Amino acid sequence: MGSVVCAQEEVAVPKVLSVGDSLLIKELYFQGIQQKSSGQLAAAENTFDKLVRLQPDNDAAHFELARIYFENKDYAAAERAAKRAAELHPENEWYWTMLLDVYKKTANVKGMPPVFDKLITLNPNKASNYHDKAYTLYLDKQYEDALATWDTIAGKFGETNDQYLAKHQIYLAQGDTLSAIKELELLAAKKPAESKGYILLAELYTDIEEPKKALALLDSVAGIFPNEPLVLLSKSDTYLAMGKQRQAYDFLRQAFLSDKLDIDAKAGILYTAINEHDHPIDAKYLTGLADLLAETYPREAKAHAVKGDIYVQLQQPEQGRQAYLDALDKNRYIEGVWQQLLQVELQMGRYDDVEAHGKEALQLFANHPLMLFFTGHGFLGNKNYQEARAYLEAALNNADETHTPLLTQVYSNLGDIYNALSMHAESDVAYQEAITLDSTNAYALNNYAYYLAMRKEKLAMAADMSKKSNEIMPDYASYEDTYAWVLFQQGKYNEALVWIERAIKHSEVVSDTLLEHYGDILAQLGNTNGAITQWKKARTISQSVGKDIDKLSKKIDAKQYID
């Protein structure tokens, strides 16, 4: 027979390391560990990379590379290295845990369950791996597998509260309300001396619009949990869902009177209640609870500060301001309360108070950028431009360069101040800085455009900025007036008329400036009678607030626009 020649398949042959190579591997490994320990991650990465090129099946080196990549947030490389380490030595829990950490960082919920399975195989008595697997399956909407895992947990480790709570959440996600109710009933039956199961069951009844069942349940366990705050709060929520405000408030008040809830818990309830949109509680009841908190803890600055927050959020600034002052009377060293006080005083137009309180706050918190900013605003409100300039420039110099919102506001306001001081070049630079930091800053875009129009400079650029500010904040009268005035300066009177009429339509109170601009535009369009009518209205308003009416009178007497 003739000889048969078979094609041989290439087989990867492991590299045989010499004694010298083995020593080099050990040396590189310990060198990499030392470099990593001393924070030289780049050097350590190079060392371990060199090691795995010399010995590709060195699982420990792949693991160290995975840790370095993970710390450098190169999660794709970390995943590859961790997988390789686990493939080379699948019995090492650390390698699978490293891979799991990568999947957690990258929210790879589909990759996690097989890793948990491996970890469970390696350590079958570690309950947390089963729990984490069940939760991951729930996140990935593999509800049946999640339920099966919880059954496995119950069989191996016994039934727990977590099991009932988790299964109830899974059944709700599946839309199986009856099964969810059953799990909570089992929890309540298993832990009759604990209120949690009953409360969750009552909440579920409320959520599925069966509030009478919720109240019946809570009433039935009232003897087991006398004056339990969580039961009282649950009753309050149920009554709110039924639209019964007074009863809801009564149970909230009872909870607030309980010494089983501390001040932080009560404050949290108030903040949650004021932000509740589905079943909001009336403002009079919220303020009643805020008052009660301050009365219960009269010497606690926090109680008065929370009261202030509630009143301010309910658009009752005077009461809020007084509460902040009360808080500071108890403790002058709460930075956040000073900030809230200055803000509310600015909103109220109490500029003298802002100046005084701002200076007082800065004695305690020297060079604090926000305190400087608010204090400068007080002087700006009083038109003390030089003082305002000093504070706002100090705020700029002390602000964190990464705090873009604050820097944007500071530059915008410095633009206003410099303009008022006829420092037009500086004003332009300040507005440009604000817009560079935030191209959607409608305030800076509008004011910069307006002052350019007043100076009759760079009108094309002013028109672009004003148009953009109106796109960002449509139907805002002040910005529409600016655009009308820019168009007026460009000689585009018909377009200006459209925008000034929009501004008047969207104004809550039509100002003398708006009416004067309206008259100016009508005059340039040849509607003299209409112009005089608007100028007269503007003059009446100006007179009532003590403004100079000389120019308006000249326009009316001359029956024409005067620049």
Side-chain angles (χ1 to χ4, degrees), residues 448-460:
Y448 191 15
Y450 186 74
Y451 292 131
L452 286 175
M454 294 296 289
R455 285 152 39 199
K456 299 182 177 63
E457 296 176 7
K458 303 175 185 176
L459 292 176

PDB file of all heavy atoms in Angstrom, residues 448-460:
ATOM      1  N   TYR A 448     -26.922  91.711  27.430  1.00  0.00           N
ATOM      2  CA  TYR A 448     -25.845  92.134  26.524  1.00  0.00           C
ATOM      3  C   TYR A 448     -26.441  92.737  25.262  1.00  0.00           C
ATOM      4  O   TYR A 448     -26.024  93.815  24.802  1.00  0.00           O
ATOM      5  CB  TYR A 448     -24.960  90.929  26.204  1.00  0.00           C
ATOM      6  CG  TYR A 448     -23.659  91.236  25.485  1.00  0.00           C
ATOM      7  CD1 TYR A 448     -23.150  92.534  25.421  1.00  0.00           C
ATOM      8  CD2 TYR A 448     -22.937  90.207  24.887  1.00  0.00           C
ATOM      9  CE1 TYR A 448     -21.947  92.800  24.770  1.00  0.00           C
ATOM     10  CE2 TYR A 448     -21.736  90.459  24.234  1.00  0.00           C
ATOM     11  CZ  TYR A 448     -21.249  91.754  24.173  1.00  0.00           C
ATOM     12  OH  TYR A 448     -20.061  92.011  23.525  1.00  0.00           O
ATOM     13  N   ALA A 449     -27.456  92.064  24.704  1.00  0.00           N
ATOM     14  CA  ALA A 449     -28.104  92.568  23.487  1.00  0.00           C
ATOM     15  C   ALA A 449     -28.742  93.933  23.731  1.00  0.00           C
ATOM     16  O   ALA A 449     -28.635  94.850  22.899  1.00  0.00           O
ATOM     17  CB  ALA A 449     -29.151  91.575  23.011  1.00  0.00           C
ATOM     18  N   TYR A 450     -29.394  94.085  24.886  1.00  0.00           N
ATOM     19  CA  TYR A 450     -30.093  95.335  25.167  1.00  0.00           C
ATOM     20  C   TYR A 450     -29.124  96.507  25.278  1.00  0.00           C
ATOM     21  O   TYR A 450     -29.360  97.589  24.707  1.00  0.00           O
ATOM     22  CB  TYR A 450     -30.900  95.197  26.464  1.00  0.00           C
ATOM     23  CG  TYR A 450     -31.755  96.403  26.751  1.00  0.00           C
ATOM     24  CD1 TYR A 450     -32.920  96.638  26.019  1.00  0.00           C
ATOM     25  CD2 TYR A 450     -31.406  97.323  27.738  1.00  0.00           C
ATOM     26  CE1 TYR A 450     -33.718  97.753  26.269  1.00  0.00           C
ATOM     27  CE2 TYR A 450     -32.191  98.444  27.999  1.00  0.00           C
ATOM     28  CZ  TYR A 450     -33.348  98.643  27.263  1.00  0.00           C
ATOM     29  OH  TYR A 450     -34.132  99.760  27.502  1.00  0.00           O
ATOM     30  N   TYR A 451     -28.030  96.291  25.990  1.00  0.00           N
ATOM     31  CA  TYR A 451     -27.086  97.395  26.179  1.00  0.00           C
ATOM     32  C   TYR A 451     -26.345  97.731  24.886  1.00  0.00           C
ATOM     33  O   TYR A 451     -26.007  98.901  24.639  1.00  0.00           O
ATOM     34  CB  TYR A 451     -26.116  97.080  27.319  1.00  0.00           C
ATOM     35  CG  TYR A 451     -26.809  97.050  28.659  1.00  0.00           C
ATOM     36  CD1 TYR A 451     -26.632  95.988  29.544  1.00  0.00           C
ATOM     37  CD2 TYR A 451     -27.663  98.083  29.047  1.00  0.00           C
ATOM     38  CE1 TYR A 451     -27.285  95.960  30.767  1.00  0.00           C
ATOM     39  CE2 TYR A 451     -28.315  98.062  30.269  1.00  0.00           C
ATOM     40  CZ  TYR A 451     -28.130  96.992  31.123  1.00  0.00           C
ATOM     41  OH  TYR A 451     -28.780  96.968  32.329  1.00  0.00           O
ATOM     42  N   LEU A 452     -26.111  96.748  24.046  1.00  0.00           N
ATOM     43  CA  LEU A 452     -25.538  97.038  22.725  1.00  0.00           C
ATOM     44  C   LEU A 452     -26.511  97.883  21.906  1.00  0.00           C
ATOM     45  O   LEU A 452     -26.110  98.824  21.204  1.00  0.00           O
ATOM     46  CB  LEU A 452     -25.211  95.741  21.985  1.00  0.00           C
ATOM     47  CG  LEU A 452     -23.982  94.969  22.468  1.00  0.00           C
ATOM     48  CD1 LEU A 452     -23.854  93.635  21.721  1.00  0.00           C
ATOM     49  CD2 LEU A 452     -22.686  95.785  22.272  1.00  0.00           C
ATOM     50  N   ALA A 453     -27.805  97.534  22.003  1.00  0.00           N
ATOM     51  CA  ALA A 453     -28.811  98.299  21.262  1.00  0.00           C
ATOM     52  C   ALA A 453     -28.884  99.733  21.764  1.00  0.00           C
ATOM     53  O   ALA A 453     -29.016 100.675  20.974  1.00  0.00           O
ATOM     54  CB  ALA A 453     -30.173  97.626  21.390  1.00  0.00           C
ATOM     55  N   MET A 454     -28.793  99.895  23.087  1.00  0.00           N
ATOM     56  CA  MET A 454     -28.826 101.244  23.653  1.00  0.00           C
ATOM     57  C   MET A 454     -27.650 102.073  23.162  1.00  0.00           C
ATOM     58  O   MET A 454     -27.765 103.286  22.977  1.00  0.00           O
ATOM     59  CB  MET A 454     -28.807 101.171  25.178  1.00  0.00           C
ATOM     60  CG  MET A 454     -30.062 100.545  25.787  1.00  0.00           C
ATOM     61  SD  MET A 454     -31.565 101.504  25.488  1.00  0.00           S
ATOM     62  CE  MET A 454     -31.286 102.910  26.543  1.00  0.00           C
ATOM     63  N   ARG A 455     -26.493 101.393  22.929  1.00  0.00           N
ATOM     64  CA  ARG A 455     -25.301 102.082  22.430  1.00  0.00           C
ATOM     65  C   ARG A 455     -25.234 102.098  20.907  1.00  0.00           C
ATOM     66  O   ARG A 455     -24.293 102.659  20.328  1.00  0.00           O
ATOM     67  CB  ARG A 455     -24.056 101.402  22.999  1.00  0.00           C
ATOM     68  CG  ARG A 455     -23.807 101.724  24.450  1.00  0.00           C
ATOM     69  CD  ARG A 455     -23.077 100.652  25.232  1.00  0.00           C
ATOM     70  NE  ARG A 455     -21.998  99.990  24.495  1.00  0.00           N
ATOM     71  CZ  ARG A 455     -21.486  98.810  24.856  1.00  0.00           C
ATOM     72  NH1 ARG A 455     -21.982  98.158  25.915  1.00  0.00           N
ATOM     73  NH2 ARG A 455     -20.518  98.278  24.181  1.00  0.00           N
ATOM     74  N   LYS A 456     -26.201 101.416  20.279  1.00  0.00           N
ATOM     75  CA  LYS A 456     -26.246 101.309  18.801  1.00  0.00           C
ATOM     76  C   LYS A 456     -24.959 100.688  18.244  1.00  0.00           C
ATOM     77  O   LYS A 456     -24.420 101.120  17.236  1.00  0.00           O
ATOM     78  CB  LYS A 456     -26.486 102.675  18.169  1.00  0.00           C
ATOM     79  CG  LYS A 456     -27.803 103.331  18.563  1.00  0.00           C
ATOM     80  CD  LYS A 456     -27.987 104.667  17.854  1.00  0.00           C
ATOM     81  CE  LYS A 456     -29.318 105.299  18.175  1.00  0.00           C
ATOM     82  NZ  LYS A 456     -29.496 105.639  19.596  1.00  0.00           N
ATOM     83  N   GLU A 457     -24.491  99.642  18.933  1.00  0.00           N
ATOM     84  CA  GLU A 457     -23.265  98.962  18.532  1.00  0.00           C
ATOM     85  C   GLU A 457     -23.545  97.485  18.244  1.00  0.00           C
ATOM     86  O   GLU A 457     -24.390  96.872  18.893  1.00  0.00           O
ATOM     87  CB  GLU A 457     -22.211  99.056  19.642  1.00  0.00           C
ATOM     88  CG  GLU A 457     -21.729 100.456  19.948  1.00  0.00           C
ATOM     89  CD  GLU A 457     -20.756 100.483  21.120  1.00  0.00           C
ATOM     90  OE1 GLU A 457     -20.368  99.393  21.593  1.00  0.00           O
ATOM     91  OE2 GLU A 457     -20.389 101.581  21.572  1.00  0.00           O
ATOM     92  N   LYS A 458     -22.831  96.922  17.263  1.00  0.00           N
ATOM     93  CA  LYS A 458     -22.886  95.490  16.958  1.00  0.00           C
ATOM     94  C   LYS A 458     -24.331  94.984  16.933  1.00  0.00           C
ATOM     95  O   LYS A 458     -24.690  93.984  17.567  1.00  0.00           O
ATOM     96  CB  LYS A 458     -22.082  94.690  17.995  1.00  0.00           C
ATOM     97  CG  LYS A 458     -20.631  95.119  18.116  1.00  0.00           C
ATOM     98  CD  LYS A 458     -19.929  94.357  19.253  1.00  0.00           C
ATOM     99  CE  LYS A 458     -18.508  94.855  19.459  1.00  0.00           C
ATOM    100  NZ  LYS A 458     -17.852  94.193  20.625  1.00  0.00           N
ATOM    101  N   LEU A 459     -25.165  95.688  16.160  1.00  0.00           N
ATOM    102  CA  LEU A 459     -26.595  95.394  16.193  1.00  0.00           C
ATOM    103  C   LEU A 459     -26.931  94.028  15.618  1.00  0.00           C
ATOM    104  O   LEU A 459     -27.888  93.383  16.068  1.00  0.00           O
ATOM    105  CB  LEU A 459     -27.368  96.489  15.454  1.00  0.00           C
ATOM    106  CG  LEU A 459     -27.342  97.864  16.145  1.00  0.00           C
ATOM    107  CD1 LEU A 459     -28.046  98.911  15.288  1.00  0.00           C
ATOM    108  CD2 LEU A 459     -27.993  97.784  17.525  1.00  0.00           C
ATOM    109  N   ALA A 460     -26.180  93.562  14.630  1.00  0.00           N
ATOM    110  CA  ALA A 460     -26.440  92.222  14.078  1.00  0.00           C
ATOM    111  C   ALA A 460     -26.202  91.155  15.139  1.00  0.00           C
ATOM    112  O   ALA A 460     -26.999  90.222  15.302  1.00  0.00           O
ATOM    113  CB  ALA A 460     -25.557  91.975  12.854  1.00  0.00           C
TER     114      ALA A 460
END
